Amino acid sequence: MTDKIDLRLLKTGVSGFDTILGGGLPELSFNIIGGAPGSGKTTFAQQIMFSLARPGCKALFFTAMGEPPVKMLRYQQQFAFFDFDKVNESVTFISLASQVEEGDYDAVMAQILAEVRSHAPALVFIDSFRSFIQAARGNHQDVAALQSFVQRLVTHMTSWNATTFLIGEYLANEADQNPIFTVADGIIWLSQNVQRNTMSRKIQVIKMRGQQQQPGLHAFRISNHGIDIFPRILPAPEPAGADASMVLPRGRLSSGVAALDDMLGGGIPSGYSMLVVGPTGSGKTILSTQFLAAGAANGETGVVALFERSPSQLMNLKLDGLVRSGQVALMSVRALDLSIDEMLHELVGMIDRTQATRVVLDSLSGFELALAPEFRDDFRESLYRLTTVLGAKGVTVLMTSELEDRYQELRFSAYGNAVLVDGVIMQRYIETHAELRTVISVVKLRGSRHSRQIRQFEIVDGEILVSASAAPFDGILQGHPRTILP
């Protein structure tokens, strides 16, 4: 027999989940939704249910919890996915709480089978399956009855002409100990992690038969819309036969500062990721604004993601005019429980909507602070994914990063981030004639010749003006360059 059976995939209605699954949930599969209390299991299950349920595709939702279904519905109906018109029509809620509390598993089984025969559902949910285990904590006879019940229930569920779900407050290590996980077609795990004053949520598809799901943990958020999942965005693989040594010719984009373009060998290569580092107040945001303004003057659109300023703080910047004119789209992010994938999803979506060719991230220092603590540990890996994904889209990215000027120590970026980008522009302070002056230099520009000069610059009327020639130095004063100025 050589005919291949194609699995029909169900669109779950949970943003991002079908992407993780590789297209959707296999029809007629038997699935376990597990996780700690409060991780969003019931909300996740009901969002799938209300998305799929319709005339001709009925859903049964059995609840084994002590609280009545009406109490659960009181809270679930606050979500946008909840559809009152489907309740008692395409969706039926049935309580098993009284039989479960009595430990009468035969009565529980009889009611489940009777309801399934009566409604002939296409979707069956049992929540919370953990309640059965808690009710059996007693003598050996109760435990044996529970094991028999579980075996019979699983046998029935896998034989029904329905897609089925068991929802329970399982622990991660139970997947290796509980035999029910062996027969499941799909195992979906929801978790939440609290560090200090922030909480992050993640979802993982541990198992899904017949599907090439995306591995790993994926961030998700619960809002009034329900659950939104942000699949890990990874760089696309190199096409087969591609020569990694080939350097494709790139156009050049103006930085918005003519003298700096000259230092860069004609401008910033299109699709490059550039890091502008410097101490506070040195003009990093002003330079990034000129970069966006140069694009707007050339008919290009841009996107700026602010991680430190709020939109109201743009009033005195040229950037405010670009945003108001629609030439630059603004993404303001100040959350303290952000994930890199959540930000990247929003950023990529904004780039696609506006057809932007230039992106500014201001700043990486603020971006790192906006991340949930557990995501900060993977900041360098996340930054690499971000720059690679945007570079593959042909977007030129300019990122700012605050770098403390220690005068006696020359550093090009915090945490060694310079190796992850294509180019580095450094701004520094110098002390001369009892005042601070600013200088700029191009530290790195991958695959391109560039000036090694250190040039003085000034900020005049909100714009950076770079000198046309290198600044003369007469040696070292207190461990840093001293410039002779007229």
Side-chain angles (χ1 to χ4, degrees), residues 243-312:
D243 186 354
S245 64
M246 289 181 59
V247 179
L248 299 178
R250 294 176 179 268
R252 297 269 180 163
L253 302 181
S254 173
S255 66
V257 181
L260 180 58
D261 290 342
D262 179 62
M263 296 172 68
L264 290 165
I268 301 173
S270 176
Y272 265 33
S273 56
M274 301 292 298
L275 183 63
V276 178
V277 297
T280 182
S282 59
K284 300 183 296 297
T285 299
I286 292 177
L287 177 58
S288 63
T289 300
Q290 287 183 247
F291 168 70
L292 291 172
N298 195 41
E300 302 174 57
T301 55
V303 170
V304 57
L306 298 180
F307 298 98
E308 295 177 353
R309 296 171 176 81
S310 65
S312 62

Side-chain angles (χ1 to χ4, degrees), residues 24 37 58 91 94 150 164 211 227 242 335 339 404 410 415 424 466:
K58 291 188 175 182
V91 174
I94 301 166
V150 170
T164 55
Q211 290 292 95
I227 286 181
S339 75
E404 180 183 357
L410 185 62
Y415 311 116
V424 178
V466 178

Side-chain angles (χ1 to χ4, degrees), residues 72-137:
M72 176 185 62
L73 295 179
R74 182 182 303 134
Y75 296 102
Q76 292 297 315
Q77 68 186 8
Q78 306 303 317
F79 293 108
F81 65 77
F82 193 94
D83 190 342
F84 283 98
D85 295 334
K86 291 185 178 182
V87 177
N88 296 327
E89 293 294 332
S90 301
V91 174
T92 302
F93 292 90
I94 301 166
S95 176
L96 303 171
S98 59
Q99 295 93 327
V100 172
E101 290 176 359
E102 295 173 1
D104 190 348
Y105 298 116
D106 290 335
V108 173
M109 181 65 71
Q111 182 175 0
I112 292 175
L113 294 179
E115 297 290 354
V116 170
R117 284 194 296 267
S118 174
H119 292 86
L123 304 164
V124 177
F125 299 79
I126 298 180
D127 182 22
S128 152
F129 194 69
R130 187 77 175 178
S131 302
F132 293 103
I133 299 176
Q134 293 173 338
R137 288 179 178 174

